[in-house]
């Protein structure tokens, strides 16, 4: 099979990400003697600068990693929580949490997570890690077209309402064509300056304190008291306080897992959507032998299992005790659910009853009208579909790194997009809006509550088989675990190499509620790349799918790294879609 790029191989180190500058920075750290965690952190901070429409310091990041000598994967949770002062009555008159502005802000978790990883598992100093991001923010970089387009889309909002963002972004590109963010450079430089202590770990801990209890927390606390326009059409102040930042820190967790196709696949727990990938795999296993790769039957089958898995996401997933993960992933439950799948496309949202429990969906979904027209770019290549009010979907980054010592990490940074909310004065970045994924109806697993994590779409992946370790992931909002399913099946079941698995035509369904404001659903919606065989597309239409044909290279921005633990050989691949993701290594 022709591929757009070679699958890389080597023994020294591999870095794959959604932007070549981040991959290059990560590789430079490896070349300088750093390990995979040093490299991932350096790449992540560069992504704050070069993909500011897809992530930022005010956002969040979940990661799954393996440390050398300890092959058991661990989850790093960099997802901040809802403010302590949050209450449904403070959203009076609103049916949904707005998708922009300050009201949807949770504690910014990304910086704390990367610093925690660096402190506990890295080897380099904070100055060495942040130097790459500071350099690009201070001296500039050539922006990818989508950054410029995003700034242009919200320029009038910045001029009229979000003037602190206008100060940061509307004059950010100089006559030389380079994009700069000197305010962010100053913030990171100050963070390095405040990292004082007798050991490397103590200095990084001091930086964490400066961020969550010092100058950054103070600036956020003051600014959140300002009412700002959001996409509800009204002005609201934020609920986030300095106390919320001071009381939160990242944490380590055990992943959930499923054995399939000879691999064990690991995901972040059910406070995010990651378990949906495992459910899809369990349902496919229950249906027996897979149809041929790329066939109408395979696309139909994966689409229908996605509908069932994501219906369960709506009914059962959230940051609460008692999510029935064991039942949701059991073979018996998968067999019962798989029996619902017919030759025709389902047009219903059908959650199951794990362990005999009665599912409950939000009233907003059962009582509101669904979208009548598919949003063709919804989810897209992981770039935002953005309105002039800043409303955004499917915007995220991804990083995979492996080093020569056996350390590996898969991380999916997101949130704090430049179009999320007004920039915090003096800091050069804005807060995220991940709280839009909460429901305002009480009593649901994903209901808004103080100290609760939103049910995030961010979902890095890890897998292990016979001495091999695989880290992979993609941007793309609700589509992440559908595109990752296609990638994993290509590699694990159909024997494609990493680059072939990424380059193969992709598809996804929009037949379940979006996690992003305003929560559209397209019953029967199926988006396929035009490279999918025309006969297969016709057959899918005949089966009742509402097929939207997307551009030939438009769905997903996957990357992956793999390690053979016996030989030490490393492999990597990255997505050509969007023309900016790259894998590097030797």
């Amino acid at each position: 099979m022709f591929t757009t790029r070679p699958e890389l191989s080597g023994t020294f180190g591999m870095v794959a990400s959604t932007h070549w500058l981040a991959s290059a920075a990560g590789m430079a750290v490896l070349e300088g003697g750093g390990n995979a965690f040093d490299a991932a952190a350096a790449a992540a901070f560069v992504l704050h600068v070069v993909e500011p429409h897809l992530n930022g310091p005010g956002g969040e990041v979940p990661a799954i990693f393996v440390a050398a000598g300890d092959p058991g994967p661990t989850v790093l949770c960099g997802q901040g929580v809802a403010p302590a002062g949050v209450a449904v009555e403070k959203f009076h008159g609103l049916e949904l949490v707005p998708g922009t502005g300050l009201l949807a802000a949770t504690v910014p978790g990304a910086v704390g997570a990367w610093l925690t990883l660096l402190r506990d598992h890295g080897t380099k100093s904070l100055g060495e890690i942040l130097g790459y991001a500071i350099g690009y923010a201070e001296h500039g970089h050539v922006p990818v077209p989508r950054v410029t387009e995003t700034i242009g889309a919200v320029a009038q909002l910045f001029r009229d309402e979000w003037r602190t963002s206008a100060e940061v972004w509307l004059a950010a590109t100089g006559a030389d064509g380079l994009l700069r963010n000197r305010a962010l450079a100053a913030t990171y430089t100050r963070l390095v300056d405040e990292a004082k202590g007798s050991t490397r770990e103590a200095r990084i801990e001091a930086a964490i304190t400066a961020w969550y209890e010092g100058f950054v927390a103070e600036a956020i606390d003051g600014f959140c008291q300002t009412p700002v326009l959001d996409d509800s059409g009204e002005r609201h102040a934020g609920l986030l306080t300095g106390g919320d930042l001071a009381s939160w820190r990242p944490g380590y967790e055990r992943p959930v897992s499923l054995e399939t196709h000879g691999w064990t696949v690991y995901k972040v727990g059910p406070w995010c959507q990651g378990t949906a990938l495992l459910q899809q795999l369990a349902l496919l296993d229950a249906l027996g032998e897979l149809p041929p790769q790329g066939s109408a039957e395979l696309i139909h089958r994966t689409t229908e299992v996605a509908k069932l898995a994501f219906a369960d996401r709506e009914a059962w997933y959230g940051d609460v005790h008692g999510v029935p993960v064991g039942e949701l992933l059991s073979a018996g439950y998968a067999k019962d659910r798989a029996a619902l799948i017919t030759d025709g496309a389902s047009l219903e949202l059908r959650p199951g009853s794990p362990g005999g429990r009665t599912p409950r969906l939000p009233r907003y979904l059962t009582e509101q009208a669904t979208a009548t027209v598919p949003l063709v770019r919804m989810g897209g290549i992981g770039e935002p579909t953005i309105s002039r009010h800043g409303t955004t979907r499917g915007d995220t980054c991804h990083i995979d790194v492996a080093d020569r010592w056996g350390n590996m990490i898969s991380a999916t940074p997101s949130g704090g997009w430049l179009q999320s909310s007004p920039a915090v004065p003096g800091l050069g970045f804005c807060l995220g809006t991940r709280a839009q994924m909460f429901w305002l109806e009480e009593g649901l697993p994903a209901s808004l509550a103080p100290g609760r994590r939103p049910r995030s779409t961010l979902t890095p992946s890890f897998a292990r088989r016979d001495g091999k370790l695989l880290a992979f992931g993609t941007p793309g909002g609700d589509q992440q675990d559908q595109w990752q399913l296609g990638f994993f099946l290509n590699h694990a079941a159909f024997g494609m190499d990493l680059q072939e698995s990424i380059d193969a035509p992709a598809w996804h369904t929009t037949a379940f509620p979006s996690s992003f404001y305003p929560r559209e659903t397209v019953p029967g919606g199926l988006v396929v790349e035009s490279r999918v065989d025309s006969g297969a597309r016709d057959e899918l239409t005949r089966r009742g799918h509402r097929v939207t044909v997307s551009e030939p290279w438009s769905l997903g921005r996957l990357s992956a790294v793999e390690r053979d633990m016996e030989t030490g050989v490393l492999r990597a691949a990255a997505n050509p879609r969007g023309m900016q993701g790259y894998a590097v290594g030797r």
Side-chain angles (χ1 to χ4, degrees):
M1 173 183 170
F2 171 81
T3 57
T4 56
R5 303 161 185 184
E7 179 191 63
L8 305 185
S9 60
T11 57
F12 181 82
M14 294 286 166
V15 183
S17 84
T18 48
H19 197 290
W20 67 87
L21 290 179
S23 297
M27 194 65 201
V29 171
L30 293 181
E31 296 285 3
N35 67 18
F37 309 121
D38 298 312
F45 284 111
V46 169
L47 287 175
H48 291 168
V49 179
V50 301
E51 289 194 324
H53 61 313
L54 301 177
N55 80 139
E60 48 275 325
V61 58
I64 306 178
F65 67 91
V66 163
D70 182 9
T74 298
V75 170
L76 171 64
C77 174
Q79 173 60 65
V81 299
V86 77
V88 170
E89 56 266 23
K90 295 186 178 180
F91 293 77
H92 179 71
L94 298 176
E95 290 185 297
L96 298 172
V97 178
T100 63
L102 297 176
L103 198 55
T106 55
V107 173
V111 170
W114 289 117
L115 295 184
T116 297
L117 183 73
L118 187 63
R119 180 197 65 197
D120 296 343
H121 297 282
T123 66
K124 293 290 188 178
S125 71
L126 182 59
E128 290 175 290
I129 297 303
L130 280 174
Y132 302 92
I134 291 171
Y136 286 126
E138 176 67 29
H139 303 296
H141 68 282
V142 178
V144 295
R146 192 59 181 164
V147 173
T148 304
E149 294 168 8
T150 300
I151 295 171
V154 289
Q156 198 60 49
L157 172 67
F158 287 2
R159 292 189 189 99
D160 294 344
E161 297 285 345
W162 296 2
R163 294 184 178 87
T164 55
S165 292
E167 294 171 5
V168 174
W169 296 110
L170 296 191
T173 304
D176 56 6
L178 300 181
L179 184 72
R180 296 173 176 84
N181 185 345
R182 290 194 171 101
L184 180 58
T187 295
Y188 282 157
T189 299
R190 182 172 175 183
L191 196 64
V192 173
D193 291 342
E194 296 203 11
K196 306 295 185 182
S198 59
T199 65
R200 188 190 71 90
E201 292 78 10
R203 289 188 287 274
I204 295 172
E205 181 61 33
I208 295 173
T209 300
W211 193 270
Y212 289 97
E213 300 179 41
F215 75 101
V216 172
E218 291 170 3
I220 290 172
D221 183 280
F223 187 59
C224 278
Q225 300 175 39
T226 307
V228 302
L229 184 69
D230 57 43
D231 54 12
S232 72
E234 302 174 2
R235 290 176 176 80
H236 298 102
L239 301 172
L240 193 64
T241 69
D244 293 314
L245 273 73
S247 63
W248 181 86
R249 290 295 186 272
Y252 296 110
E253 304 173 358
R254 294 173 59 86
V256 294
S257 64
L258 180 80
E259 293 186 6
T260 182
H261 295 286
W263 291 77
T264 303
V265 183
Y266 300 90
K267 297 294 289 187
V268 179
W271 59 262
C272 86
Q273 73 175 21
T275 307
L277 175 61
L278 305 183
Q279 281 200 254
Q280 291 173 90
L281 290 166
L283 287 161
L284 289 174
D285 287 346
L287 290 168
E289 183 178 353
L290 288 172
Q293 200 278 336
S295 65
E297 178 60 29
L298 180 70
I299 297 173
H300 170 75
R301 189 176 294 188
T302 56
T303 297
E304 294 306 300
V305 302
K307 292 174 185 177
L308 294 174
F310 282 88
D312 277 346
R313 181 192 75 167
E314 294 306 316
W316 301 109
Y317 294 16
D319 188 19
V320 293
H321 293 295
V323 177
V325 175
E327 289 93 341
L328 289 168
L329 296 180
S330 69
Y333 181 73
K335 181 179 179 180
D336 291 343
R337 296 283 278 155
L340 297 174
I341 296 174
T342 67
D343 289 338
S346 171
L347 303 181
E348 300 176 85
L349 188 66
R350 300 180 290 180
S353 302
R357 300 168 180 83
T358 301
R360 175 185 165 194
L361 292 172
R363 286 193 300 271
Y364 184 86
L365 299 181
T366 58
E367 297 175 3
Q368 300 295 317
T370 56
T372 57
V373 179
L375 299 175
V376 176
R377 277 192 54 84
M378 187 167 71
I381 57 172
E383 299 280 1
T385 305
I386 182 171
S387 76
R388 63 187 177 87
H389 302 296
T391 306
T392 304
R393 300 174 188 83
D395 26 22
T396 304
C397 308
H398 189 74
I399 304 166
D400 298 302
V401 185
D403 65 28
R404 63 191 186 274
W405 298 293
N407 302 298
M408 290 180 67
I409 184 169
S410 171
T412 308
S414 188
W417 317 300
L418 69 87
Q419 65 273 18
S420 293
S421 60
V424 182
L427 296 184
F429 67 86
C430 61
L431 295 171
T433 54
R434 194 63 57 175
Q436 67 184 286
M437 297 180 175
F438 286 118
W439 293 107
L440 293 178
E441 179 182 346
E442 296 184 293
L444 300 164
S447 294
L448 180 69
R452 181 176 288 179
R453 292 170 291 187
R455 193 206 63 207
S456 176
T457 56
L458 305 178
T459 174
S461 294
F462 215 93
R464 177 166 47 183
R465 174 188 181 178
D466 296 337
K468 289 188 177 181
L469 293 174
L470 174 65
F472 61 101
T474 181
D478 296 291
Q479 281 65 248
Q480 290 179 34
D481 280 315
Q482 297 186 68
W483 295 334
Q484 291 184 71
L485 175 67
F487 164 84
F488 181 77
L489 293 178
N490 288 340
H491 187 56
F494 298 119
M496 296 182 180
D497 71 26
L498 298 181
Q499 194 64 50
E500 290 173 332
S501 299
I502 289 171
D503 282 0
W507 59 86
H508 67 265
T509 180
T510 53
F512 56 85
S514 169
S515 296
F516 296 87
Y517 182 94
R519 302 291 191 120
E520 295 100 340
T521 304
V522 183
L526 175 61
V527 183
V528 301
E529 288 183 339
S530 62
R531 293 183 296 136
V532 169
D533 179 75
S534 60
R537 301 198 307 259
D538 291 343
E539 172 63 16
L540 291 164
T541 299
R542 188 192 67 77
R543 292 187 183 211
H545 297 280
R546 295 177 60 189
V547 177
T548 297
V549 180
S550 188
E551 293 297 317
W553 296 91
S554 60
L555 303 181
R557 283 176 67 200
L558 280 145
S559 65
V561 298
E562 190 172 57
R563 176 181 182 83
D564 187 316
M565 292 187 289
E566 294 180 2
T567 65
V569 171
L570 306 174
R571 302 185 186 278
N575 188 59
R577 299 165 176 88
M579 297 187 293
Q580 67 191 69
Y582 253 87
V584 294
R586 66 176 180 87

